[in-house]
Amino acid sequence: MSAGYGNRNGEGVVRPLAPDTKSKALRRLLRSPRVTRVAGANDGLSAVLAERNGFDAIWASGLGISAAHAVPDASILTMRELLDAATVMDAASSLPVIADCDTGFGEVNNVVRMVREYERAGIAAVCIEDKEFPKRNSFVEGHELVDMYEFAAKIEIATSSRDDPDFVVIARLESLIAGAGSEDAFRRACCYADAGADAVLVHSKQQAPDEVLEFAHAWHASGRTLPLVVVPTTYPAVTCADLEEAGISAVIYANQSLRAGVLAMDAALAAIARAGSTAPVEHDLCTVKEVFALIGMDEIDRNEERFAEAVQRARAAVEEEVGDAHHALS
Ligand code: SPV
Ligand code: MG
């Protein structure tokens, strides 16, 4: 978790920011020449696996968290449910968490509360998209974009509502998803950048990266330096090297671990149901010990040993002191 921040209203004790908060770390990653690799997660365990496999940051995926609740990714979950899930991921890993905040949970006052609550929880970044509430996942049909200037104003209010100047606000463009075209995407990106967004996520559902790479080319050619973020769900062949060459700052692998998990769980359960025993799947499963390692079971023993030693020390100290006093008194 990030260090605590000063009181929003300047009242009470204001603690200085720690030198290396997760938001600062994320900001540095986004500005580095290397593409930042972000893994989608939906709970603490998937966050741990992302970190273990060398990713730079975690995407608290709206789709992933919705799937974990077995509800549609369509603005069904509340902000609190998404925030609780992101907080679990943040606690489970030392990586910065970028929270998928859909459309910002409503109007401008909802956005202000969202920034305060996510920042207070130690989340490094929020990402909001320029679609109407309630929104649907980008890979189903039927998207309504909001007015570009109203969304830009939401971004401006979001950035001015943070206490931590490093807390990252990402503006997500859905023009290419909604079929509004690349000109609309470019105009909106400029508008959101001018409103103070810290990065622009340009989403696409094409099977090839062309429109995203063209967007990046036009962005840089216009002299813009604000970091670009992409989500290559539908164009999986694009490599980090391709993205780096195009000057894209971050890539979000939003749902691959979720989909891998669904496939593996479903296959194992089907095989067990068929066989009436778990024997056929045992070789496809990780061991219980491996699960223990991921969730830090060894720490339990270490803490209990430390506790026993501390009890021992406390007893010895008091007995020595009482023994000395007894000697002095007698
Ligand atoms: C999510 O992970 O919830 C996203 C990314 O918004 S995507 O599903 O690819 O649109
Ligand atoms: Mg989402």
Side-chain angles (χ1 to χ4, degrees):
M1 284 260 298
S2 317
Y5 306 124
N7 180 299
R8 168 165 299 105
N9 304 314
E11 298 158 1
V13 179
V14 177
R15 278 182 288 160
L17 285 175
D20 212 349
T21 58
K22 287 188 179 184
S23 52
K24 199 185 272 292
L26 178 64
R27 207 165 262 277
R28 200 175 324 110
L29 281 167
L30 290 176
R31 288 285 179 186
S32 81
R34 185 178 153 271
V35 71
T36 297
R37 296 176 318 152
V38 187
N42 58 279
D43 59 11
L45 187 58
S46 43
V48 167
L49 289 170
E51 180 159 11
R52 188 168 96 137
N53 285 288
F55 285 85
D56 302 307
I58 288 161
W59 169 250
S61 161
L63 171 62
I65 300 165
S66 299
H69 286 71
V71 300
D73 179 19
S75 302
I76 303 295
L77 294 180
T78 62
M79 184 195 86
R80 182 57 51 192
E81 286 170 307
L82 290 168
L83 173 54
D84 283 350
T87 305
V88 169
M89 296 174 212
D90 184 66
S93 150
S94 67
L95 300 180
V97 172
I98 303 171
D100 176 4
C101 290
D102 292 345
T103 59
F105 309 109
E107 287 312 323
V108 67
N109 285 304
N110 305 87
V111 169
V112 169
R113 179 157 188 268
M114 173 197 81
V115 168
R116 289 181 179 163
E117 293 293 303
Y118 276 79
E119 185 186 332
R120 204 157 64 91
I123 305 303
V126 287
C127 174
I128 57 173
E129 62 195 79
D130 56 0
K131 289 207 298 255
E132 290 284 1
F133 175 91
K135 57 132 265 181
R136 287 156 181 245
N137 182 274
S138 300
F139 300 121
V140 295
E141 292 306 315
H143 303 291
E144 285 281 329
L145 298 180
V146 289
D147 177 84
M148 168 169 92
Y149 303 108
E150 286 188 13
F151 190 75
K154 265 189 184 177
I155 292 289
E156 187 187 317
I157 305 284
T159 58
S160 62
S161 300
R162 61 191 166 196
D163 280 338
D164 169 14
D166 291 317
F167 183 74
V168 175
V169 175
I170 301 176
R172 168 168 162 177
L173 291 170
E174 291 279 298
S175 307
L176 303 177
I177 295 287
S182 50
E183 227 181 278
D184 183 76
F186 195 81
R187 190 172 302 117
R188 282 174 179 267
C190 293
C191 190
Y192 306 160
D194 293 344
D198 297 305
V200 169
L201 188 162
V202 52
H203 206 3
S204 163
K205 57 182 178 186
Q206 277 196 351
Q207 304 299 308
D210 304 15
E211 67 177 0
V212 155
L213 297 180
E214 277 160 24
F215 181 94
H217 180 75
W219 188 246
H220 297 301
S222 74
R224 296 269 179 181
T225 58
L226 201 72
L228 295 179
V229 182
V230 298
V231 185
T233 305
T234 56
Y235 48 98
V238 77
T239 65
C240 285
D242 298 334
L243 297 172
E244 223 162 77
E245 199 183 312
I248 287 166
S249 298
V251 54
I252 300 177
Y253 300 108
N255 49 43
Q256 287 72 15
S257 70
L258 168 75
R259 288 155 59 203
V262 168
L263 192 69
M265 284 190 274
D266 199 44
L269 292 170
I272 295 166
R274 257 193 323 270
S277 118
T278 64
V281 299
E282 279 301 325
H283 59 279
D284 292 328
L285 307 178
C286 73
T287 63
V288 173
K289 260 195 174 157
E290 283 166 329
V291 176
F292 285 170
L294 291 172
I295 61 175
M297 283 296 282
D298 56 337
E299 198 192 335
I300 298 297
D301 287 339
R302 281 206 308 277
N303 287 342
E304 284 179 359
E305 277 161 27
R306 286 172 52 219
F307 175 72
E309 284 163 16
V311 170
Q312 206 48 42
R313 275 198 305 278
R315 180 175 295 124
V318 169
E319 272 169 13
E320 191 182 333
E321 204 174 324
V322 170
D324 288 350
H326 184 73
H327 182 71
L329 290 170
S330 58

